[in-house]
């Protein structure tokens, strides 16, 4: 069924364009041109955040920060073993997948730690990556609260999710 969704959307767009007598090819090429200019303007920001994340992971800073933050996370109800996942997830989806895979391998998927890891990964977002894309194209100048609120919301969602996972 899912194999037919994209072709169905494509055909629907073509039919609607024909009904409205719009030149779908020109609209497509114009959109592609806009996407290329968007990519060119966003690329430096993406490259910077990707390099910073990789330096954060490879330097061992994430390991030492997770060790330092683990008592606080444990107090909040997040197992100590998941502190590194909590630190990496707002920065990098790929890095978080690597940590998540290690958690699954070491503790299993049906354990409390495995369930909490799933909740943390599934209920949070790469805050800095998304912020980089959105804010690089935004005309908003006062962004002082956006990232702290997003990070606090992520923490709160993970704490509540792990509390719920405890009872499942």
């Amino acid at each position: 069924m899912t194999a037919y969704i994209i072709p169905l959307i494509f055909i629907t767009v073509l039919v609607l364009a024909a009904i409205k007598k719009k030149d779908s090819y020109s609209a497509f090429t114009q959109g592609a041109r806009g996407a290329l200019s968007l990519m060119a303007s966003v690329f430096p920001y993406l490259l910077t955040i990707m390099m910073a994340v990789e330096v954060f992971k490879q330097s061992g800073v994430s390991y030492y920060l997770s060790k330092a933050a683990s008592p606080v996370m444990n107090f909040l109800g997040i197992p100590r073993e998941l502190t590194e996942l909590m630190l990496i997830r707002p920065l990098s989806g790929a890095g978080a997948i690597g940590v998540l895979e290690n958690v699954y391998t070491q503790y299993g998927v049906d354990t409390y730690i495995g369930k909490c890891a799933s909740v943390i990964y599934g209920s949070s977002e790469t805050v800095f990556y998304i912020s980089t894309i959105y804010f690089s194209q935004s005309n908003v100048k006062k962004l002082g609260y956006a990232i702290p609120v997003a990070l606090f919301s992520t923490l709160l969602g993970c704490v509540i999710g792990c509390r719920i996972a405890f009872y499942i």
Side-chain angles (χ1 to χ4, degrees):
M1 172 84 174
T2 58
Y4 298 111
I5 291 175
I6 301 261
L8 183 63
I9 291 172
F10 184 74
I11 291 169
T12 303
V13 168
L14 287 178
V15 168
L16 289 174
I19 290 171
K20 292 184 176 187
K21 296 182 173 124
K22 301 283 184 179
D23 184 8
S24 57
Y25 181 76
S26 294
F28 179 79
T29 56
Q30 184 180 5
R33 187 177 305 118
L36 286 175
S37 66
L38 175 67
M39 181 60 183
S41 65
V42 171
F43 182 74
Y45 299 100
L46 290 177
L47 182 63
T48 302
I49 194 72
M50 285 184 211
M51 286 177 54
V53 166
E54 198 58 33
V55 167
F56 182 70
K57 289 189 315 187
Q58 295 299 324
S59 67
V61 172
S62 69
Y63 172 76
Y64 292 113
L65 274 178
S66 68
K67 246 186 136 150
S70 65
V72 174
M73 293 297 182
N74 197 34
F75 175 76
L76 294 173
I78 296 173
R80 295 176 192 262
E81 298 83 359
L82 302 180
T83 307
E84 188 172 17
L85 179 62
M86 287 286 299
L87 289 175
I88 295 290
R89 181 64 177 142
L91 298 169
S92 166
I97 283 282
V99 174
L100 183 66
E101 182 182 349
N102 290 340
V103 168
Y104 287 163
T105 302
Q106 191 169 1
Y107 300 101
V109 295
D110 289 332
T111 62
Y112 172 64
I113 292 173
K115 289 176 185 178
C116 278
S118 298
V119 167
I120 289 169
Y121 187 83
S123 66
S124 59
E125 185 54 71
T126 52
V127 172
F128 291 102
Y129 177 80
I130 297 298
S131 299
T132 299
I133 292 174
Y134 288 155
F135 297 152
S136 70
Q137 297 301 304
S138 172
N139 292 330
V140 178
K141 299 297 178 204
K142 295 184 179 182
L143 302 171
Y145 294 113
I147 291 177
V149 167
L151 291 173
F152 178 75
S153 300
T154 297
L155 175 65
L156 189 61
C158 292
V159 168
I160 292 170
C162 282
R163 298 271 178 179
I164 292 170
F166 181 76
Y167 297 106
I168 295 176

